[in-house]
Amino acid sequence: MNNIELDKLRITIDEIDKNLCQLIMERQSLASKIMDAKTGEFPFDPKREEDLIKKLVSFGLDKFFDNQVLGFL
């Protein structure tokens, strides 16, 4: 693989990273709205987290990666 091909791959990865960041920010905004709606309630729901991990694994993500991502989400 030559440098031009590597540069094209890196540019594509950079675009994906940008899109991921935009989606994560959108998700964080929605999660904040949910937290606001849950006034007085403890926001962490272990069952919901477990379901989310299962869903991410079903989408093809590695289960260990999901655990790292959840802290970020």
Side-chain angles (χ1 to χ4, degrees):
M1 186 173 290
N2 63 39
N3 286 341
I4 293 173
E5 291 171 320
L6 285 173
D7 287 344
K8 285 181 183 179
L9 292 172
R10 289 180 177 132
I11 288 169
T12 301
I13 287 174
D14 289 344
E15 283 297 313
I16 290 170
D17 290 344
K18 180 180 174 183
N19 292 334
L20 285 171
C21 286
Q22 289 172 338
L23 289 170
I24 289 169
M25 289 187 308
E26 183 179 345
R27 188 186 192 286
Q28 287 175 323
S29 175
L30 294 170
S32 290
K33 290 176 183 178
I34 289 171
M35 296 236 338
D36 290 344
K38 287 184 161 188
T39 55
E41 293 182 42
F42 186 65
F44 176 70
D45 182 351
K47 175 71 172 120
R48 171 88 175 124
E49 181 176 316
E50 181 183 336
D51 291 344
L52 177 58
I53 292 170
K54 288 178 183 176
K55 183 173 26 174
L56 293 174
V57 169
S58 78
F59 293 158
L61 290 178
D62 182 278
K63 151 164 98 169
F64 297 107
F65 177 76
D66 295 340
N67 288 329
Q68 293 173 358
V69 170
L70 282 175
F72 185 63
L73 297 177

